[in-house]
Amino acid sequence: MAEPTVIVPSLAIRPERSDPPDLTDEVQRDTSPPNGSASPPPRPPRQRSEEYSRSPSPPIRRRRLDSPEEVSRNHSTRYGRSPKRERHSASPERGRPVARIKPPSVSYSRSRSESFSRSPSYSRSRSRSYSRSVSRSVSPPPKRRRRAKDTDESVSPPSIVSRRRPLPDVDYQRALERERQAAQRQEKEVKPFDPKAEYQRLLDLRSGGTYVPPARLRALQSQIVEGNPKELQRLAWDNLKKGINGLINKVNKSNIRDIVQEIFRQNLIRGRGLFVRSIMRAQAASLPFTPVYAAVAAIVNTKLPQLGELLVTRLIIQFRKAYRRNDKPVCISSTMFLGHLCNYQVAHEIVILQILHLLLERPTDDSVEIAVGFMREVGMFLAKASAPANNGVFERFRAILHEGQLEPRTQYMIESLFLVRKNEYRDHPDISEELDLVEEEDQITHMIGLDDELNGEDTLNVFKFDADYEENEAKYKDIRDEILGAEDDEEEGSDESEVSSEDEDAEKPSEQKKMEIQDMTNRNLVNLRRTIYLTIRSSMDFEECCHKLMRINLAQGQEIEMVNMIIECCSQEKIYTKFYGLIGARFCKMNRLWKSTFAEAFRTYYDTIHRYETNKIRNIAKLFAHILASDALDWEVFDCVHLNEDETTASSRIFLKVLFQDIVEETGVKTVVERFNDPDRDKQAAFSGILPRDNPSDTRFAINFFTIIGLGAVTEDLRDYLQRAMEKAKESL
């Protein structure tokens, strides 16, 4: 009876590195057919392929099995492991035949051009593959073969190991990177340390977002600037640029007063290009803050007009370039900034009309939109400064609206502009109350046209070495002290430091007596002037003000400071206020000390009256006129006045004109004539400069001056003297 057969699938499993064993001696195949015919001779072994690949399993074939014990013994001998236990065994009790038993079977296949199998439907493959399967059913899961631990049990022939291709040691790109890093290390070892290059590298890293310790930057800066004036100036330039940019970016309506003072502490003459560039960039980045930046520019323009002129020039150049390039956002920002500068009278209104004419000459949707936004900002100012021009602009808007060639959106914008004009620019004032910080008399207007040849001075934005750096810094320091009132830049210490210093002073009274500290920073003087100013501003009437001022503790010699503060506060008013004249008269009538102090102040202000503007000259003259008219101050103070063509200026003549006219208004011409004709010799000596009799030309000049201001009655005696002198001169000839 023939042995039962089972279906054994062959599953190809690729070994990791070892070559396949020789399959001719491993498995004994049953080559005899079922009918008992003679078996054919075995096939010769095929040559191995050069590449490994997973080949499909050979076709399923019926074959006879050896006994389970023999198969298990061969399996454990070859692969060093015990065969798997049979999960399903035949049960004789149930009458199942032995043919259903599926012991683990091992099959190998090797093929180069065809599979090593006797199935007629085998598949051809160009790769060499080996398979071993322990099969119990169709398509069992593949099992990974273990490597033989002992070299004797290894199935890989040594001939295949020698033919294995070696893997590359490293990646090619990685090798190049290692070579580059090695070259950099060698270069660092050979190349000396350059602080300047390292400092620039750190700056580049920080600009890219990398954190760099500030202590490291300061250490490199100290190495760079040591003994190198150019690098020192470059570092100062960088600090100046950072300081100006930081202050401009922090300014708003609430802190504009403090920020402007900090801006003046920077060297704006050297960094005027940086200031203008920074404020233009900040304005273009945040259009709602344009009024704030315009207020800052207006304040700086009152003290340093060259900065305001440069700002207006660059804005006009920027607008012209943007208009040629059809750059709408830049045109909007430039026109808005120019409009607010015109509101503060930094730029003349002629530039407004030129821009509007350019935009409305050939109207388009964009140009009309820019013009409408421009008129919202400057309409209120233009209506006050030039009403006919303002009406002409709105007539042009009305004509464009009637033509109907624009989009409905643009037409609606023009209609809304007419509504804004009807409401008298209620929501678009020219200057808001919080930013009205510049007096009208202090404003300096730059008349620059749109068609003028302009120079933006772009070289001011770039660092340049200055041979007279120290001298120029000292000059700007004097200018800064004059602008800020000679305030010390350094802040006072904290309260804790003050308390500690007081404790130390209390512990060492003997050393305090020996040491005399002299304040060279004028800190006490600044505080005194501030106290006097706040006292004057907080008083309701002149009597209360005098009472408060007399309670201020003044050191010896500080009386002149109080008088100067009263006169300065009076000069800062837009119109003269009698409040200050009453304060001065009350102080002069109080005692002789204050009278002599006001007399000294009169002489000082008359000598320096040319430094003041017309409105300030008028206020100061009215103040002294009230004091002289009330007889609180003696008229001997006129001994400093020499009324002639050589010793007078336009400012001094304006001062004398307002002074005498106010005295006449309060006392009358008759009283003034009596005072000048007083027989007292001291007074006549004091009036010798006002009514000169030593030179006929000076006498004629004084007569003409008093006649022009309406006080010809004062010069009657002087005219008789001049006539007698002319007659004597003719007789001598």
Side-chain angles (χ1 to χ4, degrees):
M1 181 176 179
E3 296 180 0
T5 60
V6 295
I7 301 173
V8 181
S10 177
L11 181 64
I13 299 178
R14 179 183 176 183
E16 296 181 358
R17 285 295 182 181
S18 61
D19 292 326
D22 194 358
L23 303 181
T24 55
D25 299 332
E26 293 291 336
V27 181
Q28 297 293 335
R29 300 181 181 274
D30 187 7
T31 58
S32 60
N35 56 3
S37 60
S39 62
R43 295 183 180 181
R46 297 286 185 179
Q47 294 183 0
R48 298 181 178 88
S49 61
E50 297 180 0
E51 297 180 356
Y52 299 127
S53 65
R54 296 182 183 270
S55 61
S57 301
I60 300 173
R61 174 174 173 74
R62 296 176 178 271
R63 72 182 185 90
R64 294 180 181 178
L65 292 176
D66 297 333
S67 64
E69 294 79 3
E70 184 179 357
V71 173
S72 176
R73 184 173 54 254
N74 294 336
H75 188 279
S76 61
T77 303
R78 286 295 180 183
Y79 298 102
R81 60 181 178 180
S82 60
K84 294 184 178 180
R85 295 182 180 180
E86 299 176 5
R87 296 183 182 180
H88 303 282
S89 59
S91 178
E93 290 79 10
R94 296 180 182 180
R96 293 184 179 181
V98 183
R100 301 291 297 177
I101 299 175
K102 298 180 181 180
S105 62
V106 180
S107 64
Y108 297 91
S109 65
R110 181 186 62 183
S111 64
R112 181 176 183 181
S113 58
E114 58 184 2
S115 177
F116 191 77
S117 175
R118 295 187 180 182
S119 175
S121 61
Y122 60 86
S123 62
R124 296 180 179 271
S125 173
R126 294 184 60 85
S127 61
R128 181 196 309 161
S129 63
Y130 308 93
S131 64
R132 171 179 57 87
S133 64
V134 181
S135 61
R136 184 174 61 253
S137 61
V138 179
S139 301
K143 301 298 180 179
R144 191 172 181 181
R145 196 188 67 180
R146 296 182 182 177
R147 284 178 143 318
K149 296 182 179 180
D150 193 1
T151 55
D152 297 337
E153 297 179 0
S154 176
V155 294
S156 300
S159 60
I160 301 301
V161 175
S162 61
R163 296 171 58 187
R164 187 185 307 160
R165 289 186 178 182
L167 295 174
D169 294 339
V170 294
D171 188 13
Y172 179 72
Q173 298 294 335
R174 182 60 182 165
L176 293 179
E177 180 66 19
R178 288 182 178 178
E179 292 179 2
R180 187 183 64 80
Q181 293 178 359
Q184 287 183 353
R185 288 194 295 270
Q186 293 178 0
E187 185 178 357
K188 289 182 179 179
E189 295 176 358
V190 175
K191 191 175 181 180
F193 178 72
D194 188 4
K196 184 177 180 181
E198 181 66 16
Y199 179 70
Q200 187 63 35
R201 187 182 69 83
L202 292 179
L203 288 182
D204 296 339
L205 287 176
R206 188 172 66 175
S207 62
T210 305
Y211 174 76
V212 178
R216 187 176 182 185
L217 288 176
R218 287 194 296 268
L220 289 175
Q221 287 175 358
S222 61
Q223 296 182 21
I224 293 172
V225 303
E226 184 177 358
N228 192 343
K230 185 174 181 180
E231 295 298 333
L232 179 63
Q233 293 186 22
R234 187 183 297 276
L235 182 61
W237 175 267
D238 293 339
N239 294 333
L240 176 64
K241 179 167 62 174
K242 294 176 184 177
I244 292 176
N245 289 336
L247 293 172
I248 293 297
N249 292 332
K250 290 190 298 184
V251 68
N252 52 45
K253 290 184 179 180
S254 60
N255 63 359
I256 185 172
R257 297 175 183 269
D258 300 330
I259 293 296
V260 167
Q261 293 182 2
E262 295 295 331
I263 288 174
F264 276 118
R265 289 191 175 94
Q266 306 291 335
N267 192 343
L268 294 181
I269 293 179
R270 186 170 186 242
R272 58 186 182 273
L274 299 176
F275 171 79
V276 172
R277 182 179 64 176
S278 177
I279 200 170
M280 288 176 62
R281 288 182 176 179
Q283 184 270 337
S286 56
L287 296 181
F289 283 86
T290 303
V292 180
Y293 297 125
V296 173
I299 296 172
V300 174
N301 182 65
T302 58
K303 304 300 181 182
L304 300 173
Q306 59 269 33
L307 272 74
E309 183 180 4
L310 182 61
L311 176 60
V312 175
T313 301
R314 288 192 177 182
L315 284 173
I316 292 175
I317 293 175
Q318 179 176 321
F319 171 75
R320 294 193 305 197
K321 291 181 179 179
Y323 184 79
R324 288 195 297 266
R325 298 171 182 172
N326 294 327
D327 194 346
K328 183 179 176 182
V330 178
C331 285
I332 293 174
S333 63
S334 302
T335 53
M336 184 178 293
F337 206 172
L338 283 171
H340 283 282
L341 290 177
C342 291
N343 292 339
Y344 283 96
Q345 296 186 14
V346 177
H348 198 267
E349 60 267 16
I350 188 65
V351 71
I352 299 177
L353 301 176
Q354 289 178 345
I355 291 175
L356 290 172
H357 179 267
L358 179 64
L359 294 174
L360 300 178
E361 183 181 6
R362 297 177 180 177
T364 61
D365 292 321
D366 292 336
S367 65
V368 172
E369 181 180 352
I370 296 172
V372 169
F374 190 33
M375 280 300 298
R376 289 178 186 271
E377 307 296 337
V378 301
M380 188 173 184
F381 168 75
L382 194 61
K384 297 177 182 178
S386 180
N390 183 54
N391 296 333
V393 172
F394 276 96
E395 289 297 330
R396 179 58 181 160
F397 275 117
R398 184 176 288 106
I400 294 173
L401 187 61
H402 290 169
E403 290 174 0
Q405 297 179 358
L406 302 178
E407 294 180 355
R409 171 178 169 273
T410 309
Q411 296 178 8
Y412 178 75
M413 293 178 66
I414 298 175
E415 293 176 358
S416 64
L417 178 61
F418 278 96
L419 183 61
V420 170
R421 183 193 183 189
K422 183 179 179 181
N423 295 333
E424 297 180 354
Y425 302 94
R426 188 178 307 165
D427 298 331
H428 301 276
D430 52 352
I431 299 176
S432 60
E433 296 180 0
E434 300 88 350
L435 300 176
D436 191 6
L437 305 174
V438 182
E439 299 293 338
E440 186 177 356
E441 295 78 11
D442 298 337
Q443 293 169 347
I444 300 175
T445 305
H446 305 284
M447 189 172 180
I448 303 175
L450 192 62
D451 299 330
D452 297 345
E453 294 183 2
L454 304 177
N455 182 15
E457 300 183 32
D458 296 334
T459 56
L460 296 176
N461 303 337
V462 186
F463 166 75
K464 287 185 180 180
F465 178 73
D466 187 6
D468 302 331
Y469 177 75
E470 299 294 338
E471 182 180 355
N472 294 333
E473 288 291 328
K475 289 181 180 179
Y476 183 77
K477 185 177 180 182
D478 297 338
I479 297 173
R480 180 189 62 191
D481 294 341
E482 183 179 356
I483 294 172
L484 300 177
E487 293 185 0
D488 190 16
D489 294 341
E490 299 180 359
E491 298 181 355
E492 296 180 356
S494 60
D495 297 336
E496 297 179 359
S497 63
E498 293 179 359
V499 173
S500 62
S501 63
E502 291 176 0
D503 296 340
E504 292 176 0
D505 294 341
E507 292 175 359
K508 300 179 180 180
S510 59
E511 295 181 2
Q512 193 178 30
K513 292 181 180 179
K514 295 179 182 179
M515 184 183 301
E516 293 182 0
I517 300 175
Q518 186 176 2
D519 186 12
M520 302 298 293
T521 61
N522 294 329
R523 171 70 64 180
N524 296 332
L525 180 61
V526 172
N527 293 335
L528 175 62
R529 292 171 65 90
R530 183 184 295 111
T531 304
I532 295 171
Y533 175 79
L534 295 176
T535 303
I536 294 173
R537 291 296 186 183
S538 61
S539 301
M540 295 296 294
D541 56 2
F542 78 97
E543 293 179 350
E544 179 186 352
C545 182
C546 292
H547 180 70
K548 290 181 179 178
L549 291 177
M550 288 304 299
R551 297 179 63 182
I552 297 176
N553 296 325
L554 298 176
Q556 187 177 2
Q558 290 185 343
E559 294 82 3
I560 189 65
E561 296 298 331
M562 182 174 291
V563 174
N564 290 336
M565 281 302 301
I566 294 172
I567 299 173
E568 289 294 334
C569 291
C570 178
S571 66
Q572 294 294 331
E573 297 291 339
K574 292 184 177 181
I575 58 175
Y576 170 71
T577 306
K578 199 175 181 179
F579 171 79
Y580 298 98
L582 295 172
I583 294 174
R586 175 63 62 87
F587 270 94
C588 289
K589 293 178 181 179
M590 198 173 296
N591 54 43
R592 293 181 180 180
L593 177 62
W594 292 111
K595 183 182 290 188
S596 61
T597 305
F598 270 92
E600 181 183 354
F602 178 85
R603 296 183 179 92
T604 303
Y605 276 91
Y606 179 76
D607 294 337
T608 60
I609 199 65
H610 59 277
R611 300 178 182 176
Y612 297 92
E613 298 176 359
T614 304
N615 188 65
K616 294 183 179 181
I617 294 172
R618 185 180 297 107
N619 291 343
I620 296 172
K622 288 179 177 291
L623 170 65
F624 282 108
H626 180 83
I627 297 173
L628 290 169
S630 60
D631 291 332
L633 193 63
D634 294 333
W635 286 41
E636 282 83 357
V637 294
F638 286 111
D639 58 356
C640 63
V641 180
H642 299 280
L643 194 57
N644 53 62
E645 188 175 1
D646 298 331
E647 298 184 37
T648 58
T649 60
S651 301
S652 62
R653 290 192 289 270
I654 293 173
F655 176 79
L656 293 175
K657 171 191 172 183
V658 177
L659 178 69
F660 287 119
Q661 286 179 349
D662 275 34
I663 292 174
V664 169
E665 287 180 3
E666 295 190 18
T667 62
V669 179
K670 185 178 179 180
T671 305
V672 176
V673 173
E674 290 177 357
R675 294 291 179 87
F676 280 118
N677 295 330
D678 195 334
D680 190 357
R681 292 183 178 180
D682 294 337
K683 292 184 178 180
Q684 290 299 325
F687 298 150
S688 61
I690 296 179
L691 304 173
R693 299 174 186 270
D694 53 352
N695 190 351
S697 61
D698 296 344
T699 305
R700 190 178 296 108
F701 182 85
I703 293 171
N704 294 335
F705 175 77
F706 281 105
T707 304
I708 291 173
I709 66 175
L711 296 177
V714 178
T715 62
E716 290 181 359
D717 294 340
L718 201 60
R719 291 173 184 274
D720 295 339
Y721 167 76
L722 181 60
Q723 187 175 1
R724 290 193 301 268
M726 295 292 292
E727 291 176 357
K728 288 181 181 180
K730 290 180 180 180
E731 291 176 359
S732 63
L733 293 176

